[in-house]
Amino acid sequence: MTDPVPAQILELDIDAIAGAEGRVVVFSDDKGKLDQAGRRVNRLTRGALERFVASKAYADMKSGDAADLGFPTGMAADAVQVVRLDRKFDTAAARKAGAAIGKAKSGKDLLVLAGNLKHAHEVLLGLTLRVYAFSDHKTKDSDPEGPVTVMVTKPEEVQAAAADVPALAQGVFFSRDLVNAPSNVLTTTEFADQLVKLRDLGVEVEVLEEDQLEGLGMRTLLAVGQGSASPSKVVLMHWRGGSAETPFALVGKGVVFDTGGISLKPASGMEAMTMDMGGAGVVAGVMKTLAARHAKANVVGLVGLVENMPDGNAQRPGDVVTSMKGDTVEVINTDAEGRLVLADVLWYAQERFKPSGMVDLATLTGAIIVGLGHHKAGVFSNDDDICGAFLKAANAEGEGAWHMPLDPAYDEQLKSNIADMMNVGGRTAGSITAAQFLQRFVNEDCPWIHLDIAGVASVKTGTDFAPKGATGWGVLALNRLIADRYEDKA
Ligand code: BES
Ligand code: MN
Ligand code: ZN
């Protein structure tokens, strides 16, 4: 587990500035105004800071940008990082500025002179999220991350506002670690073992093994995993922190590796399919955050853990399998496996828990990447109310999301000659036909959102808040959705 960088929030002590090692951060605005700490840095550096904020280079910076003054005279630090935040900046700008500080940190000790800056806790969150490196498999380890000190004029206030930062970062990092893990390490069994550890935080965890899944009739899920040496599993994580009788449900696609099965994928780029458990990884991350912040909510997370391999036992194109619901599916393409896994887990979630609402997350289709790229996830829903609330939460957290349509008109594409449906709907509208497939396994009266996160779960170039690799997209938005709608109010 990658731990968030240790951080403390202390009362501003300008006499600590001269001797601080590593990196020191000061803030200024569009007028180049310096606060008390900035004035001290300026005096120590014999006017260098004032010259910088009066320069054209500073004038050309945008709000949220940062620049380094290297090896400043009169200070022990390697660099003073000057962050420009124009007057009346919002929480999003503060968080982004924090991420810029985190990105530049590169292992050094860090002193952030926030003084009475607004949204200082958002700066800390942004920086904490950005200081992440997946180093489980690096044998020549670099030095541990130097600690972060944020100095403010009202430490109690900022400490209270920042109370959830560790819980948020732990959930996001748990999700990233799982998604970044290679598939020979994160097998279905290892994944389940990682989830069982959530018991230490008070989450009830249940692991359903293949014989139990067989007994429940989860044939579409089992069919996907039957070519793998790793056993298929469904893991349930229940956080009972609130008074609601029925839980809110999160469902995740957890294909630990997707070769495509007998409908084998091309070799080039196949290694990226280690992230095909991204939906399950986000569900795990949200559960961890909820438990770590003792959320007053009743939430159950369910993940379907399978591996999609070609093998003598693997399912074939043309096979017909019966879902737990009872509907039959003609498997035209064994690479459209995520929907087969989710069909059974979605149905089981509703049968067992009668949830007040349900969100599924899946790296489901390449088509969503064609449509939306890597900046926004596809959002499909049968309920405008919960959908609007989710889009609002995602926007507030800076996690890109775009509303996509569901429409019975697309069902035509899923019609099978010999079974109730096919598992693929042809070349056009691939993400929508996948969502239409899932909707067949959702009761009409259950408010439901399907999030296609194929483009956002893992990225080749870093985002504002994550280096390249797994992003943890969705942990913050879902945590906020739950806080807004499903949590007991104090
Ligand atoms: N796991 C893939 C989708 C995917 C693609 C995720 C790229 C992340 C990056 C999914 O199981 C899949 O193979 N989908 C097929 C569906 C098709 C056969 C209908 C696809 O998108 O090509
Ligand atoms: Mn596939
Ligand atoms: Zn897949």
Side-chain angles (χ1 to χ4, degrees):
M1 167 76 199
T2 307
D3 289 317
V5 61
Q8 50 178 350
I9 298 163
L10 300 179
E11 184 168 356
L12 182 63
D13 170 14
I14 54 169
D15 291 330
I17 295 172
E21 292 185 356
R23 297 175 61 81
V24 172
V25 176
V26 294
F27 297 87
S28 188
D29 62 12
D30 39 323
K31 293 224 158 144
K33 193 166 175 281
L34 299 181
D35 64 7
Q36 192 194 3
R39 291 195 299 274
R40 172 60 67 93
V41 168
N42 188 51
R43 226 180 62 208
L44 290 167
T45 59
R46 296 204 240 142
L49 188 53
E50 225 164 42
R51 283 170 57 206
F52 177 63
V53 295
S55 71
K56 178 164 185 315
Y58 185 80
D60 287 346
M61 279 165 60
K62 289 191 288 296
S63 189
D65 285 354
D68 267 18
L69 308 182
F71 297 98
T73 350
M75 292 176 65
D78 289 357
V80 171
Q81 187 179 22
V82 186
V83 178
R84 176 170 164 175
L85 273 174
D86 292 359
R87 281 162 298 168
K88 289 210 173 128
F89 62 90
D90 60 8
T91 55
R95 200 183 285 188
K96 267 195 188 167
I101 298 165
K103 185 175 181 184
K105 183 176 179 295
S106 48
K108 307 264 173 60
D109 292 10
L110 181 62
L111 173 61
V112 181
L113 298 165
N116 59 6
L117 189 82
K118 261 201 301 168
H119 313 308
H121 64 286
E122 291 285 356
V123 174
L124 178 60
L125 177 58
L127 106 71
T128 304
L129 292 173
R130 188 59 184 72
V131 180
Y132 171 88
F134 182 66
S135 53
D136 283 14
H137 305 289
K138 298 270 196 195
T139 59
K140 302 181 183 53
D141 224 351
S142 39
D143 298 332
E145 277 293 335
V148 175
T149 305
V150 182
M151 284 191 172
V152 295
T153 46
K154 292 182 181 146
E156 284 87 18
E157 260 178 41
V158 178
Q159 278 159 9
D164 284 343
V165 168
L168 296 170
Q170 281 163 23
V172 171
F173 284 18
F174 187 36
S175 176
R176 288 182 190 168
D177 281 355
L178 291 166
V179 171
N180 282 328
S183 302
N184 61 329
V185 172
L186 194 79
T187 60
T188 55
T189 303
E190 173 62 20
F191 201 151
D193 288 350
Q194 294 277 332
L195 300 180
V196 163
K197 288 190 192 148
L198 291 172
R199 284 182 188 150
D200 297 345
L201 297 176
V203 180
E204 294 166 31
V205 183
E206 209 181 300
V207 182
L208 303 180
E209 303 291 349
E210 274 182 354
D211 50 342
Q212 291 165 286
L213 303 178
E214 199 75 64
L216 287 162
M218 294 204 196
R219 282 297 328 154
T220 56
L221 180 147
L222 287 165
V224 174
Q226 73 192 27
S228 171
S230 295
S232 300
K233 293 169 195 282
V234 170
V235 181
L236 288 77
M237 296 159 270
H238 201 162
W239 171 253
R240 294 180 207 252
S243 60
E245 262 185 31
T246 56
F248 181 66
L250 301 171
V251 173
K253 167 180 172 180
V255 176
V256 295
F257 195 77
D258 181 12
T259 64
I262 297 298
S263 312
L264 194 63
K265 287 181 182 295
S268 166
M270 202 203 276
E271 71 284 354
M273 286 300 116
T274 55
M275 56 71 99
D276 209 20
M277 32 54 67
V282 174
V283 172
V286 177
M287 297 311 296
K288 182 154 195 166
T289 289
L290 294 175
R293 69 175 181 82
H294 307 289
K296 291 185 174 56
N298 182 359
V299 180
V300 65
L302 302 95
V303 294
L305 307 180
V306 302
E307 186 180 37
N308 190 19
M309 293 292 255
D311 179 77
N313 285 317
Q315 68 173 335
R316 293 154 287 259
D319 283 5
V320 173
V321 287
T322 305
S323 65
M324 180 184 174
K325 182 186 174 196
D327 291 358
T328 56
V329 181
E330 183 185 7
V331 179
I332 298 296
N333 188 324
T334 65
D335 197 12
E337 85 296 341
R339 63 198 75 182
L340 299 174
V341 173
L342 288 174
D344 277 343
V345 184
L346 286 167
W347 192 252
Y348 180 67
Q350 294 164 94
E351 289 283 291
R352 172 147 172 199
F353 295 103
K354 304 271 175 289
S356 53
M358 184 162 67
V359 177
D360 78 70
L361 299 105
T363 49
L364 201 64
T365 66
I368 202 70
I369 309 176
V370 176
L372 300 178
H374 297 283
H375 300 294
K376 290 180 194 291
V379 182
F380 302 81
S381 180
N382 63 357
D383 183 284
D384 286 345
D385 189 38
I386 191 175
C387 185
F390 177 78
L391 291 168
K392 207 177 123 220
N395 185 49
E397 296 293 355
E399 294 179 329
W402 193 255
H403 192 184
M404 300 283 292
L406 285 168
D407 194 307
Y410 295 93
D411 281 334
E412 200 63 34
Q413 290 172 237
L414 294 171
K415 273 197 177 148
S416 161
N417 277 338
I418 62 166
D420 295 336
M421 69 195 89
M422 304 193 297
N423 77 328
V424 293
R427 231 171 46 80
T428 60
S431 302
I432 306 173
T433 52
Q436 289 293 140
F437 182 98
L438 296 180
Q439 192 177 17
R440 292 166 177 238
F441 299 90
V442 176
N443 289 308
E444 250 170 56
D445 60 359
C446 180
W448 159 73
I449 299 173
H450 157 56
L451 299 172
D452 193 335
I453 60 169
V456 296
S458 184
V459 291
K460 290 213 165 62
T461 48
T463 68
D464 285 343
F465 299 107
K468 67 177 171 226
T471 61
W473 183 99
V475 173
L476 299 181
L478 288 165
N479 173 68
R480 182 179 287 263
L481 178 76
I482 290 162
D484 287 350
R485 274 175 76 104
Y486 300 95
E487 204 154 328
D488 300 349
K489 301 290 175 259

